[in-house]
Amino acid sequence: MGLTSAFNAARSGMGVTSRWAESVSSNIANANNPNFARRDTHIATNAQGAATVSEITRAVDSSLDAMYRDEVGRTARQDAIASGLSAYTSLLGDSQSSNTILTRLTDFQNALGLLSVSPSDGALQRSTVAEAQELARTLNSAGSELADAMDSAEDGIGADIAEINAALSRLDGYNEQLSSGGLGASEAQLALQDKIGAELDALAEYMDFTLRTDAQGRIELFAAGGAPLLTGNAAQMLSFDAATGTLSAGAFEITPGVPGVRGISEGALAGKIELFSETLPEMQAQLDEVARALIAGMEDADASLAPGEAGLFTDAGGVLSEPAAPGLALRIAVNGAVLPEQGGAYWRIRDGMGADVPGAAGDNTQIEAFIAVLDGDMAFDPDAGLGETATLSSYVATLIASQNSARAEAESSAESLAAGAIAVQSTRMSFMGVNVDDELQQLTAIEQSYGANAQVLTVVSEMIDTLLNAV
């Protein structure tokens, strides 16, 4: 090998060593950065036999990335459902709770039973009316909490859409930087790709999507069903119509769960839309059925009522309309006819809401009629999902169990899916993360390479000096 060739090879080796050292230093500096993908330096030999850095790449695995984001989206959807139901189901209680709709209904039935034995007892009349009020208030509280859950779900949908749109805008900006070509194969381009990866990881918590890269290196995003979200430099902003429950990306509908729609199915946004459009309305319908059955049953059992008069339980003080507007549980109230503070009298719990004057003190006929309707089978709307016929107490028990089960199932699914996401992320990080021990070993190799190339340059320099001195 001639002096020139030796000099060029050593100089090239020094350049390779320098870039390699920069890459390793960057890896070590970002060892604890979860959004950083390890840099791998690829060294090749050119036609003249000199070492060159062919490229520096990010250690990523697109399959692991997709698996992790899918698991994150599934977890977030179930977590959104569980979180959205938490406050309401806590208020609703369960079979072990001492203050639920079922226990209040039982207390009211027991009070009617005691009053039936002593229908003239004013204290029992008062306590029976008080139990009716407690039952109504418990339904009101559940209805109010359910309404709050609906409002929270709608607010959450708006907040998630704002985050998604902001992320799509940022990704659109990153695409412009990638397509400009100004970054080249520099560390700046690799750092930008890290930013894109972190942005996509965060976006996966809100919605599921598919990813591909175009010829210019720009990313393209599509909803899991295929509707475009980001193509070229055009981001489709999301919007939600609460009146129809429709989620759109630009002109494309991407509502989760709608047949034939190329939309999303996972992520926190999908979970909140499911809550807002399906789960909570169904729970409200079931709760309203309890209030409706209570109002209608007591009306039908009250022989003192004239047409158009309200029974013991009312729809905000009035008679029950058919069909009742949603939110009946929130509006149910005890008839003022039995409330002295509203001009009524306790004795009407014995004689009926339509009685003008007190009846026979020992007559428990009306009380027994109230007891019979509560103990007997009632008709319920099958569309509410809890059956067509049952006693009121068994219907309430089924409601409590079913609605608590919905939350518990979502929590269990979220925990299971989170464990899967953690496992995938562990594998993913072992592939793309930085192992400091490996990097330190590379530094040793870099030091040896640097020393060898420096020695060649020294020898070449000495030989050139010798030749010049000999002239």
Side-chain angles (χ1 to χ4, degrees), residues 166-180 183 192 196 230 232-233 235:
L168 290 175
S169 294
R170 287 191 294 270
L171 289 168
D172 192 12
Y174 296 153
N175 270 348
E176 290 182 6
Q177 295 181 55
L178 288 171
S179 62
S180 68
L183 297 174
L192 181 60
I196 292 173
L230 177 64
N233 283 329

PDB file of all heavy atoms in Angstrom, residues 166-180 183 192 196 230 232-233 235:
ATOM      1  N   ALA A 166     -54.813  18.513  17.500  1.00  0.00           N
ATOM      2  CA  ALA A 166     -53.516  19.153  17.721  1.00  0.00           C
ATOM      3  C   ALA A 166     -52.380  18.221  17.293  1.00  0.00           C
ATOM      4  O   ALA A 166     -51.395  18.663  16.685  1.00  0.00           O
ATOM      5  CB  ALA A 166     -53.367  19.539  19.192  1.00  0.00           C
ATOM      6  N   ALA A 167     -52.520  16.931  17.597  1.00  0.00           N
ATOM      7  CA  ALA A 167     -51.491  15.960  17.207  1.00  0.00           C
ATOM      8  C   ALA A 167     -51.410  15.838  15.692  1.00  0.00           C
ATOM      9  O   ALA A 167     -50.312  15.781  15.115  1.00  0.00           O
ATOM     10  CB  ALA A 167     -51.791  14.606  17.835  1.00  0.00           C
ATOM     11  N   LEU A 168     -52.569  15.793  15.022  1.00  0.00           N
ATOM     12  CA  LEU A 168     -52.562  15.709  13.560  1.00  0.00           C
ATOM     13  C   LEU A 168     -51.910  16.942  12.940  1.00  0.00           C
ATOM     14  O   LEU A 168     -51.180  16.834  11.938  1.00  0.00           O
ATOM     15  CB  LEU A 168     -53.992  15.550  13.037  1.00  0.00           C
ATOM     16  CG  LEU A 168     -54.680  14.214  13.325  1.00  0.00           C
ATOM     17  CD1 LEU A 168     -56.137  14.244  12.852  1.00  0.00           C
ATOM     18  CD2 LEU A 168     -53.937  13.055  12.671  1.00  0.00           C
ATOM     19  N   SER A 169     -52.143  18.095  13.535  1.00  0.00           N
ATOM     20  CA  SER A 169     -51.512  19.320  13.033  1.00  0.00           C
ATOM     21  C   SER A 169     -50.002  19.275  13.200  1.00  0.00           C
ATOM     22  O   SER A 169     -49.243  19.675  12.306  1.00  0.00           O
ATOM     23  CB  SER A 169     -52.081  20.545  13.762  1.00  0.00           C
ATOM     24  OG  SER A 169     -53.447  20.728  13.460  1.00  0.00           O
ATOM     25  N   ARG A 170     -49.550  18.772  14.358  1.00  0.00           N
ATOM     26  CA  ARG A 170     -48.101  18.667  14.569  1.00  0.00           C
ATOM     27  C   ARG A 170     -47.480  17.668  13.580  1.00  0.00           C
ATOM     28  O   ARG A 170     -46.411  17.920  13.008  1.00  0.00           O
ATOM     29  CB  ARG A 170     -47.809  18.255  16.008  1.00  0.00           C
ATOM     30  CG  ARG A 170     -48.062  19.360  17.022  1.00  0.00           C
ATOM     31  CD  ARG A 170     -47.514  19.001  18.381  1.00  0.00           C
ATOM     32  NE  ARG A 170     -48.207  17.874  18.999  1.00  0.00           N
ATOM     33  CZ  ARG A 170     -49.282  17.987  19.787  1.00  0.00           C
ATOM     34  NH1 ARG A 170     -49.792  19.184  20.029  1.00  0.00           N
ATOM     35  NH2 ARG A 170     -49.840  16.923  20.328  1.00  0.00           N
ATOM     36  N   LEU A 171     -48.147  16.543  13.388  1.00  0.00           N
ATOM     37  CA  LEU A 171     -47.635  15.540  12.455  1.00  0.00           C
ATOM     38  C   LEU A 171     -47.614  16.090  11.029  1.00  0.00           C
ATOM     39  O   LEU A 171     -46.699  15.789  10.257  1.00  0.00           O
ATOM     40  CB  LEU A 171     -48.492  14.271  12.527  1.00  0.00           C
ATOM     41  CG  LEU A 171     -48.333  13.444  13.807  1.00  0.00           C
ATOM     42  CD1 LEU A 171     -49.424  12.387  13.902  1.00  0.00           C
ATOM     43  CD2 LEU A 171     -46.955  12.781  13.870  1.00  0.00           C
ATOM     44  N   ASP A 172     -48.613  16.882  10.698  1.00  0.00           N
ATOM     45  CA  ASP A 172     -48.633  17.536   9.396  1.00  0.00           C
ATOM     46  C   ASP A 172     -47.401  18.433   9.232  1.00  0.00           C
ATOM     47  O   ASP A 172     -46.752  18.452   8.177  1.00  0.00           O
ATOM     48  CB  ASP A 172     -49.915  18.358   9.266  1.00  0.00           C
ATOM     49  CG  ASP A 172     -50.165  18.851   7.855  1.00  0.00           C
ATOM     50  OD1 ASP A 172     -49.480  18.364   6.930  1.00  0.00           O
ATOM     51  OD2 ASP A 172     -51.031  19.718   7.675  1.00  0.00           O
ATOM     52  N   GLY A 173     -47.061  19.168  10.306  1.00  0.00           N
ATOM     53  CA  GLY A 173     -45.865  20.011  10.270  1.00  0.00           C
ATOM     54  C   GLY A 173     -44.586  19.194  10.136  1.00  0.00           C
ATOM     55  O   GLY A 173     -43.655  19.584   9.402  1.00  0.00           O
ATOM     56  N   TYR A 174     -44.516  18.063  10.819  1.00  0.00           N
ATOM     57  CA  TYR A 174     -43.346  17.192  10.702  1.00  0.00           C
ATOM     58  C   TYR A 174     -43.221  16.667   9.264  1.00  0.00           C
ATOM     59  O   TYR A 174     -42.109  16.535   8.733  1.00  0.00           O
ATOM     60  CB  TYR A 174     -43.444  16.025  11.667  1.00  0.00           C
ATOM     61  CG  TYR A 174     -43.429  16.414  13.129  1.00  0.00           C
ATOM     62  CD1 TYR A 174     -44.037  15.619  14.087  1.00  0.00           C
ATOM     63  CD2 TYR A 174     -42.808  17.580  13.563  1.00  0.00           C
ATOM     64  CE1 TYR A 174     -44.031  15.966  15.437  1.00  0.00           C
ATOM     65  CE2 TYR A 174     -42.789  17.939  14.899  1.00  0.00           C
ATOM     66  CZ  TYR A 174     -43.417  17.125  15.832  1.00  0.00           C
ATOM     67  OH  TYR A 174     -43.403  17.465  17.165  1.00  0.00           O
ATOM     68  N   ASN A 175     -44.364  16.348   8.652  1.00  0.00           N
ATOM     69  CA  ASN A 175     -44.334  15.881   7.266  1.00  0.00           C
ATOM     70  C   ASN A 175     -43.735  16.925   6.335  1.00  0.00           C
ATOM     71  O   ASN A 175     -42.985  16.611   5.404  1.00  0.00           O
ATOM     72  CB  ASN A 175     -45.749  15.526   6.800  1.00  0.00           C
ATOM     73  CG  ASN A 175     -46.101  14.072   7.064  1.00  0.00           C
ATOM     74  OD1 ASN A 175     -45.232  13.262   7.392  1.00  0.00           O
ATOM     75  ND2 ASN A 175     -47.369  13.732   6.928  1.00  0.00           N
ATOM     76  N   GLU A 176     -44.059  18.186   6.564  1.00  0.00           N
ATOM     77  CA  GLU A 176     -43.514  19.262   5.740  1.00  0.00           C
ATOM     78  C   GLU A 176     -41.995  19.320   5.877  1.00  0.00           C
ATOM     79  O   GLU A 176     -41.276  19.534   4.896  1.00  0.00           O
ATOM     80  CB  GLU A 176     -44.133  20.594   6.138  1.00  0.00           C
ATOM     81  CG  GLU A 176     -45.604  20.736   5.761  1.00  0.00           C
ATOM     82  CD  GLU A 176     -46.169  22.092   6.118  1.00  0.00           C
ATOM     83  OE1 GLU A 176     -45.378  22.963   6.553  1.00  0.00           O
ATOM     84  OE2 GLU A 176     -47.386  22.289   5.974  1.00  0.00           O
ATOM     85  N   GLN A 177     -41.502  19.130   7.091  1.00  0.00           N
ATOM     86  CA  GLN A 177     -40.056  19.144   7.302  1.00  0.00           C
ATOM     87  C   GLN A 177     -39.398  17.965   6.592  1.00  0.00           C
ATOM     88  O   GLN A 177     -38.320  18.098   6.007  1.00  0.00           O
ATOM     89  CB  GLN A 177     -39.737  19.096   8.792  1.00  0.00           C
ATOM     90  CG  GLN A 177     -40.195  20.324   9.565  1.00  0.00           C
ATOM     91  CD  GLN A 177     -39.836  20.222  11.029  1.00  0.00           C
ATOM     92  OE1 GLN A 177     -38.677  20.016  11.390  1.00  0.00           O
ATOM     93  NE2 GLN A 177     -40.834  20.359  11.900  1.00  0.00           N
ATOM     94  N   LEU A 178     -40.055  16.796   6.650  1.00  0.00           N
ATOM     95  CA  LEU A 178     -39.481  15.617   6.007  1.00  0.00           C
ATOM     96  C   LEU A 178     -39.461  15.765   4.492  1.00  0.00           C
ATOM     97  O   LEU A 178     -38.503  15.371   3.831  1.00  0.00           O
ATOM     98  CB  LEU A 178     -40.297  14.374   6.386  1.00  0.00           C
ATOM     99  CG  LEU A 178     -40.151  13.868   7.820  1.00  0.00           C
ATOM    100  CD1 LEU A 178     -41.180  12.786   8.105  1.00  0.00           C
ATOM    101  CD2 LEU A 178     -38.744  13.318   8.066  1.00  0.00           C
ATOM    102  N   SER A 179     -40.520  16.340   3.922  1.00  0.00           N
ATOM    103  CA  SER A 179     -40.616  16.443   2.465  1.00  0.00           C
ATOM    104  C   SER A 179     -39.749  17.565   1.899  1.00  0.00           C
ATOM    105  O   SER A 179     -39.453  17.581   0.707  1.00  0.00           O
ATOM    106  CB  SER A 179     -42.073  16.669   2.046  1.00  0.00           C
ATOM    107  OG  SER A 179     -42.570  17.876   2.583  1.00  0.00           O
ATOM    108  N   SER A 180     -39.326  18.498   2.763  1.00  0.00           N
ATOM    109  CA  SER A 180     -38.505  19.611   2.280  1.00  0.00           C
ATOM    110  C   SER A 180     -37.121  19.154   1.849  1.00  0.00           C
ATOM    111  O   SER A 180     -36.464  19.788   1.028  1.00  0.00           O
ATOM    112  CB  SER A 180     -38.380  20.684   3.368  1.00  0.00           C
ATOM    113  OG  SER A 180     -37.604  20.207   4.466  1.00  0.00           O
ATOM    114  N   LEU A 183     -33.310  18.303   5.818  1.00  0.00           N
ATOM    115  CA  LEU A 183     -32.694  17.617   6.955  1.00  0.00           C
ATOM    116  C   LEU A 183     -31.667  16.578   6.520  1.00  0.00           C
ATOM    117  O   LEU A 183     -30.764  16.225   7.273  1.00  0.00           O
ATOM    118  CB  LEU A 183     -33.783  16.927   7.796  1.00  0.00           C
ATOM    119  CG  LEU A 183     -34.809  17.858   8.452  1.00  0.00           C
ATOM    120  CD1 LEU A 183     -35.894  17.036   9.129  1.00  0.00           C
ATOM    121  CD2 LEU A 183     -34.133  18.759   9.471  1.00  0.00           C
ATOM    122  N   LEU A 192     -36.202  14.099  14.520  1.00  0.00           N
ATOM    123  CA  LEU A 192     -37.572  14.359  14.089  1.00  0.00           C
ATOM    124  C   LEU A 192     -38.369  13.061  14.043  1.00  0.00           C
ATOM    125  O   LEU A 192     -39.547  13.025  14.426  1.00  0.00           O
ATOM    126  CB  LEU A 192     -37.566  15.030  12.716  1.00  0.00           C
ATOM    127  CG  LEU A 192     -38.943  15.387  12.141  1.00  0.00           C
ATOM    128  CD1 LEU A 192     -39.682  16.354  13.056  1.00  0.00           C
ATOM    129  CD2 LEU A 192     -38.797  15.976  10.745  1.00  0.00           C
ATOM    130  N   ILE A 196     -41.852  12.045  15.935  1.00  0.00           N
ATOM    131  CA  ILE A 196     -43.011  11.445  15.272  1.00  0.00           C
ATOM    132  C   ILE A 196     -43.426  10.169  15.995  1.00  0.00           C
ATOM    133  O   ILE A 196     -44.617   9.928  16.227  1.00  0.00           O
ATOM    134  CB  ILE A 196     -42.693  11.162  13.791  1.00  0.00           C
ATOM    135  CG1 ILE A 196     -42.539  12.484  13.038  1.00  0.00           C
ATOM    136  CG2 ILE A 196     -43.776  10.297  13.156  1.00  0.00           C
ATOM    137  CD1 ILE A 196     -42.060  12.326  11.607  1.00  0.00           C
ATOM    138  N   LEU A 230     -54.519  11.547   7.765  1.00  0.00           N
ATOM    139  CA  LEU A 230     -53.399  12.408   7.366  1.00  0.00           C
ATOM    140  C   LEU A 230     -52.757  11.802   6.130  1.00  0.00           C
ATOM    141  O   LEU A 230     -52.159  10.728   6.205  1.00  0.00           O
ATOM    142  CB  LEU A 230     -52.377  12.517   8.496  1.00  0.00           C
ATOM    143  CG  LEU A 230     -51.107  13.324   8.205  1.00  0.00           C
ATOM    144  CD1 LEU A 230     -51.447  14.785   7.943  1.00  0.00           C
ATOM    145  CD2 LEU A 230     -50.123  13.229   9.368  1.00  0.00           C
ATOM    146  N   GLY A 232     -50.415  12.943   2.591  1.00  0.00           N
ATOM    147  CA  GLY A 232     -49.666  14.046   2.021  1.00  0.00           C
ATOM    148  C   GLY A 232     -49.461  15.113   3.078  1.00  0.00           C
ATOM    149  O   GLY A 232     -48.942  14.857   4.155  1.00  0.00           O
ATOM    150  N   ASN A 233     -49.893  16.299   2.783  1.00  0.00           N
ATOM    151  CA  ASN A 233     -49.841  17.376   3.770  1.00  0.00           C
ATOM    152  C   ASN A 233     -51.243  17.810   4.186  1.00  0.00           C
ATOM    153  O   ASN A 233     -51.460  18.951   4.602  1.00  0.00           O
ATOM    154  CB  ASN A 233     -49.079  18.585   3.212  1.00  0.00           C
ATOM    155  CG  ASN A 233     -47.575  18.355   3.231  1.00  0.00           C
ATOM    156  OD1 ASN A 233     -47.062  17.656   4.093  1.00  0.00           O
ATOM    157  ND2 ASN A 233     -46.874  18.938   2.275  1.00  0.00           N
ATOM    158  N   ALA A 235     -54.311  17.129   6.700  1.00  0.00           N
ATOM    159  CA  ALA A 235     -54.835  16.501   7.905  1.00  0.00           C
ATOM    160  C   ALA A 235     -56.346  16.693   7.951  1.00  0.00           C
ATOM    161  O   ALA A 235     -56.847  17.787   7.710  1.00  0.00           O
ATOM    162  CB  ALA A 235     -54.199  17.114   9.149  1.00  0.00           C
TER     163      ALA A 235
END
